[in-house]
Amino acid sequence: MATSLDPVLRDQLLYRRQTLQTSLTESPSSAQLADLLQQVDQALERMDHGTYGLCEVCHESVEVERLAADPLTSFCLDHLPPVAQRALERDLQLARQIQGGLLPRPESALGGWQVSYHYQPAGLVSGDYCDLVDGGARGLYFMLGDVSGKGIAAAMLMANLHALFRALISGGLALGELVSQASRAFCETTLATHYATLVCGRALASGEVEICNAGHLPPLHIHAGKVTELPSTGLPLGMFCSQEFTLTRINLQAGDGLLLYTDGLTEAEDGSGEFYGPERLQRLVAGHCAAAPKALVSACLQDLDAFRRAAVLRDDLTLMAVNRVS
Ligand SMILES: [Zn+2]
């Protein structure tokens, strides 16, 4: 395999070879060092023969990111030896636990607001972003988003967003400025192929809510027994380094609410490939206008289960209900 990484990886391998040889002169009887040296030599041989980066089992290309992380890898993810597979599973389980630790409490009540959410990765980790931050006198911040892609890479970016927003919220910026700065930082630190859609809201004790929607699906606004969509007001986060975001302001009275969700909900499929869809969601929510957040989230999940029956969820799924209680 000829990749643009080859010269870099060759240099890395040569450097490792040199280091190993130095260590071996100091401990000539170390079987581990001898074994590593042999693996490095074999990798260099594969480079000379043009087979470097190909899986030993299927002869397809090994994932480039994995080669960059470990230049000695000679199996694709599908054909890892059992020991390596188990190590990878342990890593993933740990990543799942760490991601779970980044989530807010499932139920929160703060300053006249009540919030409930459901967070469900399609695999072990999720690329969805969901957080609540108590901003004190500045109100309650709620965030729900979706990083492009899936799996570990998306989960790492989700963790990055989590840290970014937490840091920026503590700085007391106006909401539009906060999202612009998060977008800039995300853009500068992320691969050009990755971005995130998200809704960031600030709910004040007065009932006023500011919402900034960066290319995400429209949140549903539940007011006086009716459900309407709040449109997107901006491009996804991190798509361009210099982006400005506008806000939508609404006033919520006691009993009013918002429902935020990722496309794992509306793009869930039934057995025949039909989408759950935003219309069905809107009808369902209209039938539960008076429900408390937890009950609304449960009703959505029950309806989704009834719709998809045995069909598997292919995408990460998150929904969050925010209610004005007083
Ligand atoms: Zn393979």
Side-chain angles (χ1 to χ4, degrees):
M1 185 188 68
T3 72
S4 55
L5 276 175
D6 275 3
V8 180
L9 292 176
R10 180 183 289 274
D11 283 350
Q12 281 185 14
L13 286 169
L14 289 171
Y15 177 69
R16 282 171 206 219
R17 189 169 198 283
Q18 199 184 359
T19 313
L20 283 166
Q21 277 173 332
T22 311
S23 302
L24 264 171
T25 51
E26 282 158 21
S27 351
S29 57
S30 166
Q32 196 206 356
L33 290 175
D35 179 51
L36 282 171
L37 183 61
Q38 194 188 4
Q39 287 188 47
V40 171
D41 282 340
Q42 284 167 350
L44 285 165
E45 262 172 46
R46 292 198 296 277
M47 275 189 177
D48 293 339
H49 295 141
T51 57
Y52 181 76
L54 300 183
C55 170
E56 283 184 26
V57 179
C58 67
H59 309 295
E60 297 286 328
S61 296
V62 172
E63 299 76 11
V64 179
E65 319 79 64
R66 293 185 49 247
L67 270 184
D70 177 8
L72 298 181
T73 312
S74 57
F75 296 96
C76 75
L77 268 182
D78 287 340
H79 299 110
L80 283 179
V83 176
Q85 254 173 33
R86 282 195 294 276
L88 188 62
E89 277 162 23
R90 276 197 303 276
D91 279 352
L92 274 168
Q93 287 290 356
L94 188 58
R96 180 189 179 88
Q97 278 175 30
I98 290 170
Q99 186 168 54
L102 297 179
L103 294 172
R105 281 192 311 243
E107 310 287 322
S108 297
L110 201 95
W113 299 95
Q114 216 180 353
V115 184
S116 182
Y117 74 89
H118 176 80
Y119 187 85
Q120 185 177 342
L124 280 171
V125 290
S126 172
D128 283 358
Y129 164 53
C130 167
D131 203 8
L132 287 172
V133 178
D134 177 2
R138 282 177 284 114
L140 171 68
Y141 290 81
F142 53 93
M143 278 74 67
L144 181 138
D146 185 353
V147 174
S148 58
K150 282 198 199 94
I152 292 284
M156 287 177 73
L157 293 173
M158 171 275 184
N160 182 19
L161 274 184
H162 177 274
L164 260 178
F165 272 88
R166 291 234 159 193
L168 288 169
I169 286 171
S170 68
L173 296 169
L175 195 68
E177 182 61 18
L178 189 155
V179 178
S180 287
Q181 289 213 14
S183 180
R184 177 184 296 275
F186 194 68
C187 186
E188 284 169 353
T189 54
T190 303
L191 299 172
T193 45
H194 285 71
Y195 55 88
T197 66
L198 73 88
V199 174
C200 177
R202 183 169 78 103
L204 296 154
S206 63
E208 191 188 341
V209 179
E210 289 180 343
I211 290 187
C212 183
N213 182 344
H216 196 76
L217 293 164
L220 299 180
H221 177 202
I222 306 159
H223 167 65
K226 288 205 171 61
V227 180
T228 47
E229 288 187 340
L230 295 173
S232 176
T233 47
L235 293 163
L237 213 72
M239 194 165 259
F240 301 97
C241 285
S242 182
Q243 268 171 252
E244 290 194 359
F245 295 86
T246 50
L247 303 181
T248 304
R249 283 194 178 83
I250 49 172
N251 254 294
L252 268 65
Q253 282 138 34
D256 288 357
L258 294 166
L259 183 78
L260 288 67
Y261 56 94
T262 56
D263 59 4
L265 177 62
T266 43
E267 290 178 16
E269 293 177 22
D270 66 6
S272 66
E274 198 78 27
F275 283 147
Y276 180 79
E279 295 82 10
R280 178 163 173 152
L281 175 65
Q282 219 167 317
R283 276 199 306 277
L284 189 272
V285 175
H288 293 78
C289 279
K294 190 178 178 184
L296 179 59
V297 169
S298 300
C300 291
L301 293 172
Q302 272 173 28
D303 192 54
L304 177 64
D305 282 347
F307 167 79
R308 67 187 176 93
R309 295 168 191 246
V312 287
L313 280 177
R314 291 181 202 285
D315 202 357
D316 305 319
L317 164 71
T318 307
L319 54 161
M320 180 193 280
V322 180
N323 252 46
R324 175 92 185 131
V325 280
S326 58

